[in-house]
Amino acid sequence: MVIRRRFIALCGAAALLGGAVFATSGLAHHGWTWAEGENFELTGVIRTARLGNPHGLLTVNAKNEDWTVEVGQPWRNARAGLKDSMLVKGVEATFQGHRATDKSKRVMKAERVIIKGKLFNLYPDRD
Amino acid sequence: MLVDALTALQDWAPAAWLRHARWTYAAVNTAHITGIALLFGAIIPLDLRLIGWRREFPIRVLARVLLPVAVAGFCLAVTAGFFLFSVRAVEYAGLRLFWVKIALIVCALTNAWLLHHALQWEAAQGDVGVTPPPSLRMAGALSIALWLSVIVCGRMLAFVD
């Protein structure tokens, strides 16, 4: 019984540690759970681009505010016809998608990118 | 200085290539998970035996089967993990959770090393039907808790910034 109690206590401690780390770690990055349901649109100029796995991130300046815009993994961008050379510093683009639920953060996930009037649809099955 | 080294790592040709690879990146991910599965799946039965479960089997017998699998799994997970890290070295190194995970791995390895070099481990190799000594039970329970925590931290890395 003593062994079992110690075992359960240790497992509990591990779960607590994991939970505490998770709870203090802030915004979830992957998937959609961190974003709100309403559609959101942002137009601005790309300042920096970090493209590639596990997902691409752009810094976009819109009305003198820097936003972080999550775009697709390489294959998703490629499928939409979006080349890395189009997502470079100085390019003006409109991003449609969903903003982070936490309004204190200027973060959005893009479903569609519009550059010079041309639409690149990263998620053709989402609206 | 660390940042310079990490920048050099992610500019390293294989890392830069993997960052834009589709199926190879997926394959490296799969290798990482497979390594974890082998390690965790093999070490848990041994840990449970150390705690006192199924004590009709001598530790020696289980260890001969399970330890090589666990070690191979660990090596696979570390190798694949290194490549996954290299893709975004600076970014991952900036996450507190990443260093928590590394610290937990060091703790788990230390626990395993101490156990393996403990006199009680040697003495208990052939035991059948007896309650293992407290130090072995403790080491087994600690091993489960630590490796489980490593998995939780690793998985959560994809969900934090």
Side-chain angles (χ1 to χ4, degrees):
Chain A
M1 275 326 279
V2 174
I3 308 165
R4 179 164 295 176
R5 227 174 285 145
R6 188 185 291 167
F7 174 63
I8 291 168
L10 266 162
C11 287
L16 270 178
L17 176 69
V21 168
F22 182 50
T24 54
S25 301
L27 182 71
H29 223 51
H30 284 222
W32 296 89
T33 47
W34 55 273
E36 59 183 17
E38 278 165 60
N39 284 334
F40 179 77
E41 186 173 292
L42 180 80
T43 298
V45 176
I46 297 172
R47 274 167 34 86
T48 61
R50 283 183 300 164
L51 300 170
N53 288 309
H55 56 119
L57 292 177
L58 304 174
T59 310
V60 175
N61 191 272
K63 294 179 189 140
N64 289 320
E65 284 181 332
D66 275 347
W67 285 73
T68 299
V69 179
E70 189 179 315
V71 291
Q73 314 87 314
W75 65 265
R76 187 180 296 284
N77 293 346
R79 187 183 66 180
L82 200 54
K83 295 187 177 68
D84 286 4
S85 60
M86 300 169 176
L87 299 173
V88 292
K89 189 178 175 184
V91 170
E92 191 184 276
T94 297
F95 302 91
Q96 297 173 341
H98 298 275
R99 186 182 179 174
T101 319
D102 182 352
K103 289 276 201 282
S104 69
K105 292 188 165 134
R106 290 194 290 270
V107 179
M108 74 170 287
K109 181 160 176 142
E111 291 169 332
R112 278 170 291 279
V113 181
I114 300 158
I115 301 171
K116 289 183 187 152
K118 191 165 173 8
L119 173 76
F120 301 95
N121 200 344
L122 300 177
Y123 290 88
D125 52 343
R126 294 181 66 100
D127 60 24
Chain B
M1 215 174 64
L2 179 64
V3 175
D4 290 342
L6 294 169
T7 306
L9 175 61
Q10 66 184 26
D11 291 342
W12 181 48
W17 181 79
L18 192 59
R19 189 156 47 243
H20 294 280
R22 180 175 184 177
W23 297 114
T24 310
Y25 186 77
V28 175
N29 253 303
T30 307
H32 191 56
I33 297 168
T34 306
I36 295 163
L38 290 171
L39 165 64
F40 199 65
I43 212 66
I44 293 298
L46 187 58
D47 289 336
L48 290 173
R49 171 61 184 82
L50 290 176
I51 292 169
W53 187 59
R54 294 289 146 93
R55 57 189 79 171
E56 64 267 33
F57 302 106
I59 291 172
R60 185 195 299 122
V61 173
L62 295 177
R64 281 216 43 196
V65 177
L66 297 172
L67 274 184
V69 177
V71 170
F74 179 79
C75 292
L76 180 61
V78 168
T79 307
F82 169 76
F83 282 102
L84 293 176
F85 174 78
S86 74
V87 163
R88 298 270 183 195
V90 175
E91 203 173 308
Y92 288 125
L95 296 173
R96 188 184 38 172
L97 188 59
F98 174 77
W99 295 107
V100 172
K101 176 184 171 182
I102 297 298
L104 285 167
I105 292 172
V106 171
C107 289
L109 288 177
T110 307
N111 181 55
W113 191 88
L114 289 174
L115 167 67
H116 213 77
H117 292 82
L119 293 174
Q120 292 91 333
W121 166 261
E122 282 304 321
Q125 286 295 307
D127 285 358
V128 169
V130 296
T131 307
S135 57
L136 293 196
R137 298 205 309 260
M138 194 63 195
L142 211 54
S143 172
I144 294 175
L146 286 168
W147 288 120
L148 195 60
S149 305
V150 171
I151 292 177
V152 171
C153 288
R155 183 71 287 235
M156 287 308 149
L157 276 176
F159 295 88
V160 300
D161 60 0

